[in-house]
Amino acid sequence: MKYILILLFTGIVANAQLKTTSLDLMPWPQNINLTQGTFALSKNFKVNITGNPNPRIFVGATNFLRRLDNKTGLFFEQGFFIKKNEAPEAQVQINCVKNGKIGLYEDESYQLEIQSNKIIINATSDLGALHALETVLQLLQNNGTSFYFPTVMITDFPRFTWRGLMIDVARHFQPIDVIKRNLDAMAAVKMNVFHWHLVDDQGWRIELKKHPKLTELASDGNYYTQEEIKNIVKYADDRGILVVPEIDVPGHGTAMLTAYPEIGSKTVNLNSNSIEGKTQVSGITSYSLERNAGIFTPTLDPSNPKTYQLLSEIFDEVCPLFPGSYFHIGGDENEGKDWDSNPKIQEFKKKNKLANNHELQTYFTMQLVPMLKKHHKELMGWEEIMTKNMSKDAIIHSWKGVNEGVLSGSSLINAAKNGYKTVLSNGYYIDLMQGVADHYSNDPLPKNNMLTDAEKARILGGEATMWSELVTPLNIDSRIWPRAAAIAERLWSDENITDINSLRKRLKGISFRLEELGITHIRNKEVILRNISNNQKTEALNDFSNVCEPLKIYSRNSGGTEYQMYSPFTLFADACTPDASDALAFDAVVSLYLENKSLENQVSVTPFLKKWMDMNTKLIDLSTNAPLVQPLLPLSKSLSAISEQLLLSIEKKQSLNSVVLNDLLEQCNSKNHADVELAVYNSLKKLIK
């Protein structure tokens, strides 16, 4: 009894000192009231479900218990849920008023109350209850001897109804386990839309029983069977996630045209056997799968009735696999070159009074609307589909920004003003390798916007986009997580939750929770570094990776290296990530040192400099039996050299040659080595100035 009292007292003291700023909650709840008390976990911990929920809550509650048990090792007595009200005496009571429907505008709110002897979850739908269980898992605390939850009252609901993640499986195919573990991660941070980019120039990834040529000729054998797709859709449903498929047309059409060249727009030169890398077969230009990244000319022929017949048959087979109400048809990056050079298509434009290719594409897209409505689907497309004649039922997906020469998010505002529902991805392109602060500061509804309430309501939310030109199953998780969690918070939490320091602190905790779910962003880094080191020690490589970041905004293909779909993605740049941890830490201590050059602040800066000098020595030694280390040495040597100079200045108070320092600084700003850049450059620049 004395031991139990000590444990209870320890828990109470721990929570008395706990503040909301200590919690690693993400997304941050709308309202939270932390009180002084604890709920102590024991092996008798049980859950009970009442109300009228969808059976997915039984899956969710079972997963909740198993994850909590794995974390605490308490050997809970309760196993799997199969029915309501099976443990009325349970400490956790979940009440769901109704069966939640997967889709937009469903009530996802919840109320969570943790008392010292019970946990109460009330939710309108089971979707809200699933979110509440994720919050409970994030609230778990421990001391040296036990696990507990703080007593708390939380009322929570999402700010936006569309909180999505897109994964492109066309350029680099992603196996089922990759998709499922990312669905688990999405649910953990309360994302609710999985946009599945299934078709592009580099591959067709859907089994079609009536059109087997699509996978036989255009998939390299990498595709999902219809049963696998149904399984993933069910898996997503159990986690409260809507699956939105994408078949990109009329551009990005190489894969489809590889199987059905007769619906392509390219004209045939009857006097030649070769046309721009494509071969002529029986008067029809044939196509082959694209192996490079980029924008390509193969485009479906909008003047050919067979085009619409084939698409209708494809939709008839694909739509039933996805019970959700939305279907993404792409519609982006069609340069129209093949249309311009095709006399038949030009004549078709004149006949139908279509002034330009944009109007021709609208004509094409409008033919798809009834095909999808037949299956109770709303059409969604990238912003290029928006014209004066486009159906107002379409959802506009905003993606262009400064990189494309337009004002960031301008198409989102224009779509809302013009009566379209719209989703923001500009600013959420996580494949650009930008830091988390860039994404976190990007709001679908920025302050001081001039939209009416009706126009604001048309902005459904946002979506992180993971294009896969530079990712494989080995490194894809490190490109999505944990940054996508910050985007999830931007789309769920109050607009005033913007503290970047709080975000960074909480991301560290969330990152480990994502690993517990199976996300490989942490563990696979070591796999890549072992490959680079030739199975030698990876300590120096890991240290260097913590100050380096991959080149940003699609600049990795520069310098004569061209990454193709079969190129190696096991190099140093593939191990590095945005927000290099030591670079962030170094910048913080440099700022403190420059404010006050006290001895205390000095000794916070100098260990970094000494570490990088030692690291360079180790990398040089490592390179004698590891060829893949060689490309790193120029940057490492530059960092070591400038660190040595700065140490002389800081510790020895020596005056340094500014010309030499600035030359070394510019060497540290090089982007010509190993497809990475030194993330400490700006901090070094501050020190020198």
Side-chain angles (χ1 to χ4, degrees):
M1 177 61 72
K2 179 180 179 182
Y3 179 68
I4 293 173
L5 288 173
I6 291 172
L7 285 181
L8 288 174
F9 177 75
T10 302
I12 291 171
V13 170
N15 200 44
Q17 297 171 342
L18 193 66
K19 298 179 180 179
T20 55
T21 53
S22 302
L23 300 176
D24 289 336
L25 297 176
M26 188 171 291
W28 193 257
Q30 301 291 345
N31 296 289
I32 178 169
N33 180 23
L34 191 64
T35 55
Q36 292 189 4
T38 62
F39 176 102
L41 272 170
S42 72
K43 71 175 185 177
N44 298 319
F45 185 80
K46 289 184 179 180
V47 178
N48 190 50
I49 300 167
T50 59
N52 185 35
N54 184 287
R56 73 173 65 89
I57 192 62
F58 302 140
V59 177
T62 299
N63 290 339
F64 164 79
L65 269 182
R66 298 287 72 77
R67 288 163 62 190
L68 188 59
D69 210 2
N70 288 339
K71 182 70 174 176
T72 61
L74 287 172
F75 289 83
F76 294 150
E77 296 173 350
Q78 194 172 26
F80 297 86
F81 290 90
I82 57 173
K83 61 182 180 180
K84 294 186 295 183
N85 207 31
E86 64 179 46
E89 78 289 355
Q91 296 164 305
V92 182
Q93 295 291 329
I94 302 172
N95 182 59
C96 307
V97 177
K98 69 170 187 174
N99 181 332
K101 306 299 180 186
I102 299 296
L104 305 186
Y105 308 114
E106 183 60 282
D107 191 330
E108 300 178 74
S109 64
Y110 66 90
Q111 289 183 323
L112 167 65
E113 182 178 4
I114 300 180
Q115 301 176 4
S116 60
N117 61 349
K118 61 183 174 180
I119 298 174
I120 303 168
I121 294 171
N122 286 307
T124 303
S125 75
D126 48 87
L127 300 176
L130 291 175
H131 295 322
L133 290 174
E134 294 293 346
T135 301
V136 173
L137 287 167
Q138 291 181 5
L139 283 166
L140 182 66
Q141 308 290 313
N142 67 274
N143 52 36
T145 55
S146 61
F147 293 91
Y148 61 92
F149 296 113
T151 53
V152 68
M153 282 281 297
I154 292 176
T155 302
D156 205 9
F157 53 87
R159 184 173 165 223
F160 292 102
T161 190
W162 190 295
R163 308 177 306 281
L165 169 66
M166 187 217 75
I167 296 180
D168 165 20
V169 299
R171 292 173 176 87
H172 277 105
F173 181 72
Q174 304 299 327
I176 291 172
D177 66 313
V178 174
I179 302 301
K180 285 188 171 180
R181 72 191 186 219
N182 276 280
L183 288 168
D184 286 332
M186 289 176 64
V189 293
K190 303 179 175 62
M191 297 179 103
N192 68 335
V193 179
F194 171 48
H195 173 181
W196 205 355
H197 186 85
L198 288 157
V199 175
D200 218 295
D201 293 291
Q202 296 79 6
W204 181 279
R205 307 302 183 195
I206 318 165
E207 176 196 28
L208 290 187
K209 299 182 185 298
K210 294 181 180 178
H211 295 283
K213 284 202 300 182
L214 286 164
T215 48
E216 289 170 1
L217 301 177
S219 73
D220 292 320
N222 292 317
Y223 62 91
Y224 307 99
T225 68
Q226 293 191 10
E227 287 305 310
E228 287 171 333
I229 288 174
K230 291 176 184 177
N231 179 269
I232 289 175
V233 170
K234 175 64 166 59
Y235 194 88
D237 184 289
D238 284 341
R239 285 145 185 80
I241 295 172
L242 168 71
V243 181
V244 177
E246 180 182 353
I247 295 177
D248 201 348
V249 289
H252 289 281
T254 309
M256 190 184 299
L257 296 177
T258 298
Y260 291 97
E262 62 269 24
I263 64 167
S265 299
K266 185 69 178 179
T267 55
V268 177
N269 182 352
L270 296 177
N271 296 318
S272 174
N273 291 322
S274 179
I275 306 171
E276 294 183 9
K278 307 176 182 71
T279 57
Q280 177 187 322
V281 180
S282 302
I284 297 175
T285 300
S286 65
Y287 300 80
S288 57
L289 280 181
E290 189 56 63
R291 304 303 186 183
N292 296 318
I295 302 172
F296 307 100
T297 59
T299 310
L300 277 59
D301 183 353
S303 70
N304 189 345
K306 291 183 180 179
T307 301
Y308 303 109
Q309 179 183 346
L310 177 62
L311 287 172
S312 181
E313 292 170 358
I314 288 172
F315 290 144
D316 285 347
E317 196 166 351
V318 173
C319 284
L321 302 174
F322 300 93
S325 300
Y326 308 95
F327 201 108
H328 206 300
I329 58 89
D332 62 315
E333 296 182 325
N334 173 23
E335 295 181 325
K337 292 179 180 178
D338 285 0
W339 289 357
D340 292 337
S341 62
N342 189 318
K344 182 171 70 76
I345 293 176
Q346 293 305 306
E347 183 60 32
F348 182 84
K349 283 169 64 177
K350 291 179 183 178
K351 180 180 177 181
N352 289 276
K353 298 180 180 179
L354 302 170
N356 50 49
N357 285 340
H358 208 171
E359 290 190 12
L360 177 58
Q361 180 156 328
T362 301
Y363 172 91
F364 169 87
T365 306
M366 288 297 291
Q367 309 313 303
L368 309 187
V369 172
M371 298 181 197
L372 294 172
K373 277 191 174 181
K374 172 183 175 183
H375 298 283
H376 310 289
K377 299 282 190 284
E378 292 183 36
L379 182 147
M380 181 176 187
W382 302 102
E383 63 185 65
E384 287 93 327
I385 73 168
M386 183 172 59
T387 63
K388 62 182 179 181
N389 296 322
M390 191 63 223
S391 168
K392 288 296 191 287
D393 292 332
I395 299 176
I396 306 301
H397 198 161
S398 171
W399 72 275
K400 291 185 178 181
V402 175
N403 294 334
E404 294 73 36
V406 299
L407 189 65
S408 293
S410 56
S411 61
L412 184 88
I413 301 299
N414 292 338
K417 285 182 175 293
N418 289 327
Y420 293 99
K421 290 178 288 186
T422 182
V423 171
L424 180 66
S425 277
N426 176 250
Y428 299 142
Y429 268 51
I430 48 180
D431 64 314
L432 293 178
M433 295 290 102
Q434 294 171 297
V436 70
D438 292 305
H439 305 307
Y440 196 55
S441 61
N442 187 50
D443 197 298
L445 268 175
K447 291 183 178 180
N448 304 318
N449 66 78
M450 303 300 290
L451 298 176
T452 66
D453 289 344
E455 290 165 348
K456 290 177 184 177
R458 296 187 190 115
I459 297 178
L460 303 178
E463 185 176 290
T465 48
M466 184 66 254
W467 299 105
S468 67
E469 286 91 342
L470 298 173
V471 300
T472 68
L474 180 68
N475 71 342
I476 186 171
D477 292 359
S478 71
R479 273 62 187 130
I480 299 175
W481 307 104
R483 286 178 300 146
I487 297 172
E489 177 161 288
R490 177 52 50 241
L491 300 173
W492 177 285
S493 302
D494 186 270
E495 63 179 334
N496 294 314
I497 302 297
T498 57
D499 187 335
I500 189 64
N501 292 323
S502 168
L503 174 81
R504 291 193 193 281
K505 177 260 174 190
R506 289 180 288 122
L507 271 180
K508 291 180 181 178
I510 293 301
S511 192
F512 291 121
R513 293 186 183 277
L514 291 170
E515 186 181 42
E516 291 166 9
L517 279 167
I519 293 297
T520 64
H521 62 306
I522 299 174
R523 70 187 77 166
N524 278 4
K525 177 179 179 179
E526 185 64 22
V527 173
I528 298 173
L529 295 182
R530 278 199 300 272
N531 177 67
I532 296 168
S533 72
N534 198 21
N535 293 321
Q536 301 176 82
K537 290 183 179 180
T538 60
E539 178 187 1
L541 279 170
N542 188 61
D543 286 342
F544 198 38
S545 73
N546 290 333
V547 294
C548 289
E549 296 178 356
L551 295 181
K552 298 172 172 50
I553 315 180
Y554 305 139
S555 58
R556 188 169 168 177
N557 270 336
S558 63
T561 301
E562 184 170 10
Y563 288 89
Q564 297 174 307
M565 297 309 107
Y566 44 76
S567 299
F569 294 90
T570 52
L571 307 178
F572 186 67
D574 302 301
C576 297
T577 62
D579 303 298
S581 57
D582 281 3
L584 292 170
F586 182 62
D587 190 65
V589 297
V590 165
S591 296
L592 287 174
Y593 174 71
L594 293 178
E595 288 176 10
N596 179 6
K597 295 184 179 181
S598 65
L599 181 60
E600 180 183 4
N601 288 338
Q602 174 183 310
V603 296
S604 296
V605 171
T606 53
F608 284 96
L609 304 175
K610 294 173 182 177
K611 176 181 181 180
W612 297 333
M613 293 168 62
D614 181 59
M615 174 193 73
N616 180 59
T617 301
K618 290 178 179 176
L619 286 176
I620 293 172
D621 291 342
L622 196 63
S623 70
T624 61
N625 190 34
L628 291 177
V629 175
Q630 292 288 344
L632 317 183
L633 296 183
L635 266 185
S636 175
K637 289 176 180 177
S638 296
L639 179 59
S640 176
I642 201 168
S643 296
E644 184 178 9
Q645 292 293 309
L646 286 169
L647 275 175
L648 292 173
S649 173
I650 295 172
E651 289 189 336
K652 306 296 185 183
K653 309 303 180 185
Q654 292 186 12
S655 297
L656 303 177
N657 187 315
S658 61
V659 174
V660 172
L661 271 179
N662 284 312
D663 182 57
L664 287 173
L665 183 65
E666 287 314 301
Q667 291 177 34
C668 289
N669 195 32
S670 173
K671 298 181 174 54
N672 297 322
H673 307 290
D675 290 331
V676 298
E677 59 187 52
L678 278 175
V680 294
Y681 168 75
N682 286 326
S683 303
L684 294 170
K685 190 174 182 179
K686 289 181 194 175
L687 274 178
I688 288 175
K689 285 190 174 182

